[in-house]
Amino acid sequence: MTDAKKIRVELFTSNLCSRCKQAKQVLSELVVELGEQNFELEFVDVVKHIDRSVEQGVLSTPALVIDKHLVSTTLPRRQELKTLLEDSIGQSS
Amino acid sequence: MPATECLKIGEVVDTLGISADTLRYYEKIGLLKKINRLPSGVRLYNERDLSRLRFIQRAKTMNFSLDEIAQLIRMRDNPTRARKSVRKLTQNKLDEVEQHLATLRTLKNELTLLVNLCSGSEDGCPIIDDMSRDDMSSDDTDKSG
């Protein structure tokens, strides 16, 4: 997969969010497992980037955005998250 | 609305929160049609008058001028007979309302996000405290992959 076809994965988080740390960890692990070369991963602090968060439709944390689409507004189970990422790879290839 | 169900000016003041002076002024400048009166001179506002007043209140929240509101009321009373200029004004005001709604939706979402961020905190809202700090310019996004 070329760099231009990387899947953009954004996890919107906040310091007060008890599940965000776990979400970051699981997402980081899955990105490695599925091939870091496939993803462009970014963790976004909603407090520091509130306009961007609201424009993206993020109303709570953690929220997952894949290729500009808000795909999850809760902490998904590991397998669900893996499926989401795998599907993204499938759609982009 | 039968006369017995019409409201006196004081009751309209209580119901809609518009002052008596303002109600009389609206009638004087023609924003309201001539209000029916009892032989004693007491004004009686019927449902149509109240509907107009509610419309005026809504339009004023959008900062429409009284002149604009007067034109919109004429359109409201008889849409099929409205002049081209009034139809254009109405379309322009509709566009303004749409833009205002979009702004309100964004504000609502922003406030919802803040409320949700704070809901997990028992000790005030450190998130909002953070937002007032001066070090907001630092870029704290982490990138990898």
Side-chain angles (χ1 to χ4, degrees):
Chain A
M1 179 177 282
T2 64
D3 193 60
K5 289 184 178 177
K6 278 190 174 184
I7 296 153
R8 185 165 172 74
V9 179
E10 299 159 281
L11 184 69
F12 289 77
T13 66
S14 69
N15 291 336
L16 275 186
C17 157
S18 58
R19 293 163 301 169
C20 287
K21 192 176 175 183
Q22 187 186 351
K24 278 184 178 182
Q25 184 180 338
V26 172
L27 186 58
S28 298
E29 290 171 1
L30 285 172
V31 163
V32 171
E33 184 180 330
L34 296 173
E36 286 181 273
Q37 71 280 5
N38 294 323
F39 302 98
E40 182 185 343
L41 176 60
E42 182 177 7
F43 299 126
V44 183
D45 185 327
V46 296
V47 176
K48 302 291 168 62
H49 300 277
I50 195 156
D51 284 354
R52 177 176 165 188
S53 305
V54 171
E55 282 171 16
Q56 191 57 66
V58 173
L59 300 181
S60 61
T61 54
L64 182 66
V65 171
I66 297 180
D67 284 338
K68 293 293 175 189
H69 297 291
L70 182 63
V71 296
S72 177
T73 54
T74 59
L75 174 58
R77 294 176 187 278
R78 185 185 180 91
Q79 187 54 48
E80 293 172 26
L81 192 50
K82 187 175 180 180
T83 303
L84 281 170
L85 295 175
E86 287 174 334
D87 288 349
S88 301
I89 294 174
Q91 287 169 12
S92 67
S93 59
Chain B
M1 182 185 269
T4 52
E5 294 178 19
C6 290
L7 299 184
K8 294 177 182 174
I9 197 165
E11 294 169 321
V12 176
V13 170
D14 292 341
T15 302
L16 298 181
I18 302 173
S19 74
D21 283 346
T22 300
L23 290 170
R24 284 189 284 264
Y25 178 66
Y26 286 166
E27 184 179 351
K28 183 181 174 184
I29 64 173
L31 216 49
L32 290 177
K33 287 180 179 170
K34 199 166 178 57
I35 302 298
N36 291 329
R37 298 194 186 214
L38 293 173
S40 61
V42 171
R43 289 177 172 82
L44 288 178
Y45 293 81
N46 60 29
E47 182 53 42
R48 187 181 177 86
D49 300 323
L50 296 177
S51 174
R52 274 188 169 207
L53 286 166
R54 291 189 198 100
F55 178 81
I56 293 167
Q57 282 184 306
R58 288 192 288 272
K60 280 174 68 68
T61 65
M62 282 294 302
N63 294 321
F64 295 173
S65 70
L66 290 182
D67 180 58
E68 289 170 336
I69 294 172
Q71 294 183 67
L72 293 172
I73 282 179
R74 281 197 286 277
M75 172 85 167
R76 191 173 184 260
D77 284 348
N78 200 338
T80 57
R81 285 194 166 186
R83 296 197 314 270
K84 189 176 179 181
S85 62
V86 176
R87 289 201 300 271
K88 190 170 189 304
L89 171 74
T90 306
Q91 181 62 55
N92 289 343
K93 291 301 166 187
L94 174 61
D95 293 343
E96 279 184 38
V97 170
E98 294 284 4
Q99 288 171 16
H100 194 64
L101 276 174
T103 302
L104 286 176
R105 270 194 293 272
T106 301
L107 179 60
K108 179 190 172 205
N109 289 344
E110 193 162 336
L111 296 178
T112 300
L113 176 58
L114 291 177
V115 167
N116 287 340
L117 288 174
C118 293
S119 63
S121 171
E122 294 176 354
D123 184 24
C125 190
I127 287 280
I128 290 178
D129 293 343
D130 279 354
M131 294 180 76
S132 62
R133 285 187 194 159
D134 291 332
D135 59 356
M136 288 293 292
S137 57
S138 63
D139 185 5
D140 74 326
T141 57
D142 308 322
K143 292 190 176 183
S144 62

